Amino acid sequence: NKEVVNMCEAIRQMVDEGIMLGEKQRALDIARRMIEMKYSKEQIVDITKLTKQEVEELSKTIKQ
């Protein structure tokens, strides 16, 4: 019975991690578009809730 509870918890954690990864990818996609549209890094951080470092790294990968 304890194994069933642990397996359910493991599945729940995997689903939560998948959702979090999806949300992160969505934020990165939005930030990419905002960089292309010349939003300031501060605006991008404020809107997407990404870190300044994440936005700076992403901006290095985009040709402007």
Side-chain angles (χ1 to χ4, degrees):
N1 200 9
K2 188 173 184 177
E3 288 179 23
V4 171
V5 172
N6 289 337
M7 188 61 137
C8 288
E9 183 59 31
I11 292 170
R12 206 172 286 124
Q13 286 177 354
M14 288 174 18
V15 168
D16 290 346
E17 288 173 14
I19 291 169
M20 289 172 46
L21 287 173
E23 290 173 356
K24 180 70 146 202
Q25 186 59 52
R26 178 83 172 131
L28 289 168
D29 291 342
I30 291 168
R32 184 176 293 108
R33 290 178 55 205
M34 293 176 76
I35 291 167
E36 291 169 350
M37 295 173 72
K38 309 292 187 210
Y39 278 75
S40 73
K41 289 179 184 166
E42 292 78 18
Q43 289 173 312
I44 297 170
V45 167
D46 187 47
I47 291 169
T48 64
K49 305 303 182 210
L50 294 171
T51 67
K52 185 176 180 183
Q53 182 179 356
E54 288 171 321
V55 173
E56 288 172 355
E57 289 297 316
L58 180 61
S59 117
K60 291 177 187 176
T61 68
I62 298 172
K63 293 182 181 179
Q64 296 185 24

